[in-house]
Amino acid sequence: MSGVVSTLRAATAMTVLAPVFFPAPAVADPAAVDPDTGPVAYANAASLAVTDDGYGARGGSVISETQRSPVTPGSSRLGPARSAVPGSDGERAAVGPHYRLAIEGHDVTATLRERRVPAAEARADFVLTDRAAEAEPVVLSFESSVTAVECSSAEDVTAEATAARLSMLDADGDLTPVEPPRAGDEVRRRDLPFGPPGEIADGERATSDITVRRVDDYEQLLRQDQWRDGDITAASGWLVEIDTHVWREDGDGSGLLDLPGLGHAGDAGDAGDTENAEDAESAPVRTIETTLVLGGVSCSVPSGFVRHGGGGAEPGAPAPSVPVTIPAGAGAPVEARSAGTDTGTGPSGASGAWWGAALLGAGALFGGAALVLARRASSVRGGS
Protein backbone atom coordinates (compact mmCIF):
# COMPACT_ATOMS: atom_id res chain seq x y z
CA MET A 1 0.00 0.00 0.00
CA SER A 2 2.91 2.30 0.72
CA GLY A 3 3.92 1.84 -2.92
CA VAL A 4 0.50 3.08 -4.02
CA VAL A 5 0.80 6.11 -1.72
CA SER A 6 4.25 6.97 -3.11
CA THR A 7 2.95 6.70 -6.64
CA LEU A 8 0.04 8.99 -5.85
CA ARG A 9 2.32 11.52 -4.21
CA ALA A 10 4.60 11.54 -7.24
CA ALA A 11 1.60 11.96 -9.55
CA THR A 12 0.32 14.81 -7.38
CA ALA A 13 3.66 16.62 -7.50
CA MET A 14 3.87 16.22 -11.26
CA THR A 15 0.31 17.50 -11.70
CA VAL A 16 0.96 20.62 -9.64
CA LEU A 17 4.16 21.43 -11.45
CA ALA A 18 2.95 20.60 -14.97
CA PRO A 19 1.55 24.10 -15.78
CA VAL A 20 4.95 25.75 -15.21
CA PHE A 21 7.04 23.39 -17.35
CA PHE A 22 8.18 24.93 -20.64
CA PRO A 23 10.60 23.61 -23.26
CA ALA A 24 14.14 24.83 -22.74
CA PRO A 25 15.18 27.48 -25.25
CA ALA A 26 17.22 26.20 -28.14
CA VAL A 27 20.83 27.25 -28.39
CA ALA A 28 21.36 29.83 -31.08
CA ASP A 29 23.31 28.98 -34.17
CA PRO A 30 26.59 30.94 -33.89
CA ALA A 31 25.93 32.14 -37.46
CA ALA A 32 22.60 33.75 -36.54
CA VAL A 33 22.29 37.47 -37.16
CA ASP A 34 20.82 39.99 -34.77
CA PRO A 35 17.09 40.19 -35.64
CA ASP A 36 16.88 43.88 -34.72
CA THR A 37 20.03 45.35 -36.24
CA GLY A 38 21.67 42.63 -38.34
CA PRO A 39 21.54 41.94 -42.08
CA VAL A 40 17.98 41.48 -43.31
CA ALA A 41 16.00 41.35 -46.56
CA TYR A 42 12.30 41.65 -47.37
CA ALA A 43 10.29 40.69 -50.45
CA ASN A 44 6.68 41.55 -51.23
CA ALA A 45 4.45 40.59 -54.15
CA ALA A 46 2.30 43.74 -54.31
CA SER A 47 0.61 46.45 -52.29
CA LEU A 48 -2.06 49.06 -52.97
CA ALA A 49 -3.03 52.20 -51.05
CA VAL A 50 -5.48 55.04 -51.60
CA THR A 51 -3.13 57.84 -50.58
CA ASP A 52 -5.75 60.60 -51.02
CA ASP A 53 -9.48 59.90 -51.13
CA GLY A 54 -10.15 63.17 -52.97
CA TYR A 55 -10.95 65.09 -49.80
CA GLY A 56 -7.46 65.31 -48.34
CA ALA A 57 -7.66 62.15 -46.21
CA ARG A 58 -5.83 58.88 -46.59
CA GLY A 59 -7.96 55.95 -47.74
CA GLY A 60 -7.52 52.23 -47.14
CA SER A 61 -4.58 49.99 -48.04
CA VAL A 62 -3.77 46.36 -48.77
CA ILE A 63 -0.31 44.84 -48.37
CA SER A 64 0.21 41.23 -49.40
CA GLU A 65 2.22 38.77 -47.33
CA THR A 66 5.85 39.89 -46.98
CA GLN A 67 8.80 37.50 -46.76
CA ARG A 68 11.57 38.26 -44.26
CA SER A 69 14.97 36.63 -44.54
CA PRO A 70 15.73 34.08 -41.77
CA VAL A 71 18.27 34.87 -39.03
CA THR A 72 20.35 31.90 -40.18
CA PRO A 73 21.24 31.13 -43.82
CA GLY A 74 18.18 30.17 -45.84
CA SER A 75 15.23 31.57 -47.78
CA SER A 76 11.61 32.48 -47.13
CA ARG A 77 9.26 32.08 -50.12
CA LEU A 78 5.75 33.38 -50.75
CA GLY A 79 3.17 30.58 -50.77
CA PRO A 80 1.02 29.83 -53.81
CA ALA A 81 -2.29 31.04 -52.32
CA ARG A 82 -1.70 34.73 -53.11
CA SER A 83 -2.93 35.41 -56.65
CA ALA A 84 -4.41 38.92 -56.55
CA VAL A 85 -4.59 42.22 -54.66
CA PRO A 86 -7.12 42.81 -53.26
CA GLY A 87 -7.79 39.12 -52.78
CA SER A 88 -10.59 38.90 -50.21
CA ASP A 89 -13.79 40.65 -49.20
CA GLY A 90 -11.95 42.38 -46.35
CA GLU A 91 -9.24 43.68 -48.67
CA ARG A 92 -11.83 44.88 -51.19
CA ALA A 93 -13.68 46.67 -48.39
CA ALA A 94 -10.45 48.46 -47.45
CA VAL A 95 -9.53 49.88 -50.86
CA GLY A 96 -12.64 49.51 -53.00
CA PRO A 97 -14.04 46.78 -55.23
CA HIS A 98 -13.01 47.97 -58.69
CA TYR A 99 -9.27 47.33 -59.04
CA ARG A 100 -7.92 43.82 -59.41
CA LEU A 101 -4.18 43.26 -59.66
CA ALA A 102 -3.56 39.68 -60.77
CA ILE A 103 -0.22 38.21 -59.61
CA GLU A 104 0.67 35.31 -61.87
CA GLY A 105 3.57 32.85 -61.83
CA HIS A 106 5.18 34.52 -58.82
CA ASP A 107 8.43 33.55 -57.13
CA VAL A 108 9.02 35.94 -54.23
CA THR A 109 11.92 35.21 -51.87
CA ALA A 110 13.93 36.86 -49.08
CA THR A 111 17.28 35.18 -48.45
CA LEU A 112 20.20 35.22 -46.05
CA ARG A 113 23.14 33.72 -47.93
CA GLU A 114 25.83 31.53 -46.35
CA ARG A 115 28.08 34.58 -46.15
CA ARG A 116 25.25 36.26 -44.18
CA VAL A 117 24.58 38.50 -47.17
CA PRO A 118 20.88 39.52 -47.38
CA ALA A 119 19.17 39.46 -50.77
CA ALA A 120 15.59 39.57 -52.05
CA GLU A 121 13.89 38.94 -55.39
CA ALA A 122 10.34 39.14 -56.72
CA ARG A 123 9.44 37.54 -60.06
CA ALA A 124 5.88 37.72 -61.39
CA ASP A 125 3.51 38.78 -64.15
CA PHE A 126 1.19 41.62 -63.09
CA VAL A 127 -2.13 42.57 -64.70
CA LEU A 128 -4.17 45.51 -63.34
CA THR A 129 -7.84 45.58 -64.39
CA ASP A 130 -10.57 48.16 -63.78
CA ARG A 131 -13.62 46.01 -63.05
CA ALA A 132 -15.98 49.01 -62.83
CA ALA A 133 -15.72 49.87 -66.53
CA GLU A 134 -18.13 48.09 -68.85
CA ALA A 135 -15.41 46.31 -70.82
CA GLU A 136 -13.19 45.77 -67.72
CA PRO A 137 -10.11 47.13 -69.49
CA VAL A 138 -6.59 46.10 -68.60
CA VAL A 139 -4.97 49.25 -67.28
CA LEU A 140 -1.42 47.97 -66.99
CA SER A 141 0.48 44.74 -67.60
CA PHE A 142 4.01 43.65 -66.67
CA GLU A 143 5.32 40.47 -68.25
CA SER A 144 8.27 38.67 -66.62
CA SER A 145 8.89 41.41 -64.08
CA VAL A 146 12.01 40.91 -61.95
CA THR A 147 12.92 43.19 -59.05
CA ALA A 148 15.94 42.33 -56.91
CA VAL A 149 18.35 43.68 -54.30
CA GLU A 150 21.53 42.40 -52.69
CA CYS A 151 23.63 43.92 -49.89
CA SER A 152 27.04 42.26 -50.21
CA SER A 153 28.69 44.78 -47.89
CA ALA A 154 28.16 48.28 -46.57
CA GLU A 155 29.94 49.57 -49.69
CA ASP A 156 28.43 47.15 -52.19
CA VAL A 157 24.63 47.19 -52.55
CA THR A 158 22.72 46.60 -55.78
CA ALA A 159 19.11 47.12 -56.87
CA GLU A 160 17.54 46.33 -60.23
CA ALA A 161 14.16 46.18 -61.93
CA THR A 162 13.51 44.66 -65.35
CA ALA A 163 10.54 43.42 -67.35
CA ALA A 164 10.24 41.61 -70.66
CA ARG A 165 7.26 43.78 -71.59
CA LEU A 166 5.22 46.66 -70.18
CA SER A 167 1.83 47.51 -71.69
CA MET A 168 -0.45 50.38 -70.67
CA LEU A 169 -3.92 51.61 -71.53
CA ASP A 170 -4.00 54.60 -73.90
CA ALA A 171 -6.53 57.41 -74.33
CA ASP A 172 -8.36 55.41 -77.02
CA GLY A 173 -8.94 52.51 -74.64
CA ASP A 174 -6.34 50.23 -76.25
CA LEU A 175 -3.58 48.35 -74.45
CA THR A 176 -0.28 49.24 -76.14
CA PRO A 177 3.34 48.38 -75.30
CA VAL A 178 5.79 50.93 -73.92
CA GLU A 179 9.43 50.71 -72.96
CA PRO A 180 9.80 49.94 -69.22
CA PRO A 181 11.28 52.98 -67.47
CA ARG A 182 14.97 53.00 -66.72
CA ALA A 183 16.41 54.20 -63.43
CA GLY A 184 15.50 57.85 -62.92
CA ASP A 185 12.94 57.87 -65.78
CA GLU A 186 9.18 57.43 -65.84
CA VAL A 187 6.36 56.53 -68.21
CA ARG A 188 3.21 58.66 -68.02
CA ARG A 189 -0.14 58.57 -69.78
CA ARG A 190 -3.01 61.02 -69.26
CA ASP A 191 -6.80 61.15 -69.66
CA LEU A 192 -7.27 57.40 -69.71
CA PRO A 193 -10.79 55.94 -69.67
CA PHE A 194 -10.90 54.31 -66.23
CA GLY A 195 -11.77 55.38 -62.72
CA PRO A 196 -10.66 54.93 -59.08
CA PRO A 197 -10.61 51.69 -57.04
CA GLY A 198 -13.71 52.81 -55.10
CA GLU A 199 -17.13 54.12 -55.99
CA ILE A 200 -17.97 57.53 -57.41
CA ALA A 201 -21.39 59.13 -57.14
CA ASP A 202 -24.18 58.89 -59.67
CA GLY A 203 -23.88 61.77 -62.11
CA GLU A 204 -20.07 61.78 -61.92
CA ARG A 205 -17.52 60.65 -64.48
CA ALA A 206 -13.80 59.98 -64.17
CA THR A 207 -10.58 59.75 -66.15
CA SER A 208 -7.17 58.83 -64.83
CA ASP A 209 -3.51 59.68 -65.31
CA ILE A 210 -0.98 56.92 -64.66
CA THR A 211 2.75 57.13 -63.98
CA VAL A 212 5.17 54.19 -63.74
CA ARG A 213 8.71 54.44 -62.42
CA ARG A 214 11.20 52.40 -60.45
CA VAL A 215 11.32 52.40 -56.67
CA ASP A 216 14.63 54.01 -55.80
CA ASP A 217 14.12 54.82 -52.12
CA TYR A 218 13.08 52.73 -49.12
CA GLU A 219 10.38 55.25 -48.16
CA GLN A 220 8.57 54.64 -51.46
CA LEU A 221 7.73 51.06 -50.44
CA LEU A 222 4.29 50.28 -49.02
CA ARG A 223 5.08 48.00 -46.10
CA GLN A 224 4.00 46.57 -42.75
CA ASP A 225 5.36 47.98 -39.49
CA GLN A 226 7.59 44.91 -39.02
CA TRP A 227 9.46 45.71 -42.25
CA ARG A 228 12.59 47.64 -41.17
CA ASP A 229 15.59 49.29 -42.76
CA GLY A 230 19.17 49.54 -41.50
CA ASP A 231 22.23 51.76 -41.61
CA ILE A 232 22.65 50.83 -45.29
CA THR A 233 19.50 49.97 -47.26
CA ALA A 234 18.75 49.19 -50.92
CA ALA A 235 15.22 49.02 -52.33
CA SER A 236 13.58 48.16 -55.63
CA GLY A 237 10.17 47.60 -57.18
CA TRP A 238 7.77 49.22 -59.62
CA LEU A 239 5.99 52.34 -58.35
CA VAL A 240 2.62 52.93 -60.03
CA GLU A 241 0.82 56.20 -59.26
CA ILE A 242 -2.74 56.81 -60.48
CA ASP A 243 -4.47 60.19 -60.25
CA THR A 244 -8.19 59.86 -60.93
CA HIS A 245 -10.00 63.11 -61.78
CA VAL A 246 -13.72 63.16 -61.03
CA TRP A 247 -16.13 65.55 -62.79
CA ARG A 248 -19.86 66.07 -62.71
CA GLU A 249 -21.39 64.67 -65.87
CA ASP A 250 -23.59 67.77 -66.37
CA GLY A 251 -20.49 69.97 -66.40
CA ASP A 252 -22.26 72.81 -64.59
CA GLY A 253 -19.51 73.28 -62.05
CA SER A 254 -21.83 72.84 -59.07
CA GLY A 255 -20.39 71.17 -56.03
CA LEU A 256 -16.83 72.09 -57.00
CA LEU A 257 -14.23 72.46 -54.31
CA ASP A 258 -12.91 75.99 -53.82
CA LEU A 259 -9.91 76.15 -56.14
CA PRO A 260 -7.53 79.13 -56.07
CA GLY A 261 -8.07 81.47 -59.01
CA LEU A 262 -11.22 79.74 -60.23
CA GLY A 263 -14.74 81.18 -60.12
CA HIS A 264 -18.10 79.43 -60.50
CA ALA A 265 -20.79 79.70 -63.14
CA GLY A 266 -23.23 82.51 -62.29
CA ASP A 267 -20.60 84.48 -60.35
CA ALA A 268 -19.07 86.16 -63.40
CA GLY A 269 -19.47 89.93 -63.48
CA ASP A 270 -17.16 90.69 -66.38
CA ALA A 271 -15.26 88.98 -69.15
CA GLY A 272 -12.44 87.92 -66.82
CA ASP A 273 -14.89 86.36 -64.41
CA THR A 274 -16.66 84.60 -67.27
CA GLU A 275 -13.38 83.04 -68.33
CA ASN A 276 -12.75 81.87 -64.76
CA ALA A 277 -16.27 80.40 -64.64
CA GLU A 278 -15.63 78.43 -67.82
CA ASP A 279 -12.39 77.11 -66.32
CA ALA A 280 -14.28 76.12 -63.17
CA GLU A 281 -16.83 74.15 -65.19
CA SER A 282 -14.01 72.09 -66.71
CA ALA A 283 -12.16 71.54 -63.42
CA PRO A 284 -12.53 68.23 -61.56
CA VAL A 285 -14.64 68.02 -58.45
CA ARG A 286 -11.84 66.11 -56.78
CA THR A 287 -8.76 64.01 -57.53
CA ILE A 288 -8.28 60.57 -55.98
CA GLU A 289 -4.68 59.38 -55.65
CA THR A 290 -3.84 55.67 -55.66
CA THR A 291 -0.39 54.10 -55.27
CA LEU A 292 0.71 50.55 -56.08
CA VAL A 293 4.10 48.96 -55.51
CA LEU A 294 4.75 45.81 -57.53
CA GLY A 295 7.54 43.47 -56.45
CA GLY A 296 8.73 45.60 -53.54
CA VAL A 297 12.04 44.36 -52.14
CA SER A 298 14.74 45.69 -49.81
CA CYS A 299 17.93 44.61 -48.06
CA SER A 300 19.71 46.26 -45.14
CA VAL A 301 23.01 45.85 -43.32
CA PRO A 302 24.71 47.62 -40.40
CA SER A 303 27.42 50.15 -41.06
CA GLY A 304 30.77 48.42 -41.42
CA PHE A 305 29.17 45.12 -42.45
CA VAL A 306 31.35 42.72 -44.45
CA ARG A 307 30.66 39.21 -45.72
CA HIS A 308 30.68 36.64 -42.90
CA GLY A 309 30.62 39.47 -40.34
CA GLY A 310 28.38 41.84 -38.43
CA GLY A 311 25.15 41.23 -36.59
CA GLY A 312 26.12 37.89 -35.04
CA ALA A 313 24.44 36.45 -31.96
CA GLU A 314 26.54 35.22 -29.06
CA PRO A 315 26.87 31.40 -28.94
CA GLY A 316 24.67 29.99 -26.21
CA ALA A 317 22.16 32.84 -26.28
CA PRO A 318 18.46 32.01 -26.80
CA ALA A 319 17.71 31.56 -30.48
CA PRO A 320 15.93 34.62 -31.90
CA SER A 321 12.29 33.92 -32.70
CA VAL A 322 11.50 36.02 -35.75
CA PRO A 323 8.70 35.09 -38.18
CA VAL A 324 9.90 34.78 -41.75
CA THR A 325 6.47 35.73 -43.15
CA ILE A 326 4.73 38.96 -42.18
CA PRO A 327 0.98 38.39 -42.60
CA ALA A 328 -0.99 40.38 -45.14
CA GLY A 329 -2.84 43.40 -43.83
CA ALA A 330 -5.84 45.44 -44.90
CA GLY A 331 -5.81 48.93 -43.45
CA ALA A 332 -9.11 50.77 -43.08
CA PRO A 333 -9.41 54.43 -44.10
CA VAL A 334 -8.50 57.04 -41.53
CA GLU A 335 -12.15 57.64 -40.60
CA ALA A 336 -12.73 53.98 -39.76
CA ARG A 337 -9.56 53.71 -37.70
CA SER A 338 -10.39 56.85 -35.73
CA ALA A 339 -13.78 55.33 -34.93
CA GLY A 340 -12.06 52.44 -33.19
CA THR A 341 -12.09 49.84 -35.95
CA ASP A 342 -9.44 47.18 -35.35
CA THR A 343 -7.91 46.28 -38.71
CA GLY A 344 -4.62 44.81 -37.53
CA THR A 345 -3.56 41.26 -38.24
CA GLY A 346 -2.14 40.60 -34.78
CA PRO A 347 -4.02 39.53 -31.63
CA SER A 348 -6.50 42.11 -30.39
CA GLY A 349 -7.31 42.93 -26.79
CA ALA A 350 -10.25 40.54 -26.94
CA SER A 351 -8.10 37.64 -28.07
CA GLY A 352 -5.57 38.45 -25.34
CA ALA A 353 -8.35 38.29 -22.74
CA TRP A 354 -9.48 34.95 -24.21
CA TRP A 355 -6.01 33.48 -23.82
CA GLY A 356 -5.80 34.78 -20.25
CA ALA A 357 -9.10 33.12 -19.39
CA ALA A 358 -7.96 29.89 -21.02
CA LEU A 359 -4.76 29.85 -18.95
CA LEU A 360 -6.68 30.50 -15.73
CA GLY A 361 -9.08 27.69 -16.59
CA ALA A 362 -6.21 25.31 -17.25
CA GLY A 363 -4.63 26.23 -13.92
CA ALA A 364 -7.90 25.56 -12.12
CA LEU A 365 -8.25 22.20 -13.86
CA PHE A 366 -4.76 21.06 -12.89
CA GLY A 367 -5.20 22.32 -9.36
CA GLY A 368 -8.48 20.43 -8.98
CA ALA A 369 -6.91 17.23 -10.25
CA ALA A 370 -4.08 17.58 -7.77
CA LEU A 371 -6.54 18.07 -4.90
CA VAL A 372 -8.52 14.93 -5.84
CA LEU A 373 -5.38 12.82 -5.96
CA ALA A 374 -4.21 14.16 -2.62
CA ARG A 375 -7.54 13.26 -0.99
CA ARG A 376 -7.41 9.75 -2.45
CA ALA A 377 -3.89 9.32 -1.07
CA SER A 378 -5.09 10.42 2.37
CA SER A 379 -7.97 7.94 2.20
CA VAL A 380 -5.58 5.14 1.33
CA ARG A 381 -3.39 5.99 4.31
CA GLY A 382 -6.42 6.13 6.62
CA GLY A 383 -7.71 2.79 5.37
CA SER A 384 -4.38 1.10 5.92
Side-chain angles (χ1 to χ4, degrees):
M1 186 62 67
S2 60
V4 174
V5 172
S6 300
T7 302
L8 288 172
R9 286 175 178 168
T12 301
M14 290 179 64
T15 304
V16 172
L17 293 176
V20 297
F21 284 154
F22 295 97
V27 176
D29 186 326
V33 299
D34 188 301
D36 298 320
T37 62
V40 67
Y42 297 88
N44 181 275
S47 51
L48 185 158
V50 179
T51 50
D52 190 321
D53 64 358
Y55 300 100
R58 189 174 182 88
S61 63
V62 173
I63 303 174
S64 68
E65 301 81 357
T66 298
Q67 307 312 302
R68 184 195 194 280
S69 58
V71 295
T72 55
S75 293
S76 174
R77 173 172 277 106
L78 177 65
R82 175 60 71 174
S83 61
V85 168
S88 67
D89 290 342
E91 292 180 353
R92 283 184 285 274
V95 296
H98 297 324
Y99 283 5
R100 183 182 189 276
L101 177 71
I103 306 167
E104 302 172 351
H106 63 69
D107 187 10
V108 179
T109 57
T111 300
L112 187 70
R113 304 198 194 285
E114 292 294 337
R115 300 168 297 165
R116 295 202 285 179
V117 168
E121 183 178 80
R123 294 175 174 267
D125 296 334
F126 299 104
V127 180
L128 177 63
T129 304
D130 177 21
R131 305 177 72 181
E134 183 176 352
E136 295 193 7
V138 173
V139 171
L140 172 144
S141 171
F142 274 103
E143 297 179 25
S144 301
S145 166
V146 180
T147 54
V149 290
E150 181 173 315
C151 294
S152 296
S153 71
E155 290 76 31
D156 183 12
V157 298
T158 59
E160 62 179 23
T162 61
R165 184 182 181 94
L166 168 62
S167 300
M168 297 172 63
L169 190 69
D170 63 21
D172 296 325
D174 298 323
L175 189 68
T176 58
V178 295
E179 188 70 22
R182 300 178 182 274
D185 293 336
E186 63 181 32
V187 176
R188 177 178 297 181
R189 289 191 170 177
R190 298 181 181 274
D191 300 324
L192 307 181
F194 73 98
E199 302 287 352
I200 60 175
D202 291 339
E204 291 182 333
R205 60 184 178 86
T207 61
S208 296
D209 305 334
I210 184 168
T211 303
V212 179
R213 51 196 173 99
R214 293 187 183 188
V215 169
D216 57 13
D217 186 88
Y218 174 77
E219 295 301 327
Q220 294 172 337
L221 296 170
L222 298 175
R223 58 192 190 274
Q224 296 97 330
D225 291 340
Q226 301 95 315
W227 188 331
R228 68 168 176 86
D229 59 357
D231 296 332
I232 310 296
T233 299
S236 185
W238 297 110
L239 182 64
V240 180
E241 297 170 313
I242 300 173
D243 293 339
T244 301
H245 310 293
V246 181
W247 286 268
R248 291 186 60 86
E249 286 186 337
D250 56 21
D252 63 1
S254 61
L256 292 175
L257 299 177
D258 291 331
L259 301 175
L262 295 181
H264 294 277
D267 295 338
D270 53 32
D273 290 339
T274 301
E275 182 178 348
N276 285 341
E278 292 174 353
D279 290 342
E281 290 177 9
S282 62
V285 176
R286 63 189 180 278
T287 296
I288 301 166
E289 298 176 4
T290 305
T291 300
L292 298 91
V293 175
L294 314 182
V297 293
S298 77
C299 63
S300 303
V301 293
S303 59
F305 170 79
V306 294
R307 296 175 181 84
H308 298 287
E314 291 294 328
S321 177
V322 181
V324 293
T325 296
I326 304 173
V334 172
E335 293 81 3
R337 285 198 294 270
S338 65
T341 300
D342 181 10
T343 60
T345 56
S348 65
S351 64
W354 186 93
W355 276 106
L359 290 174
L360 288 174
L365 177 63
F366 281 115
L371 183 59
V372 169
L373 289 172
R375 286 178 176 174
R376 288 182 179 175
S378 178
S379 299
V380 170
R381 288 197 302 272
S384 62

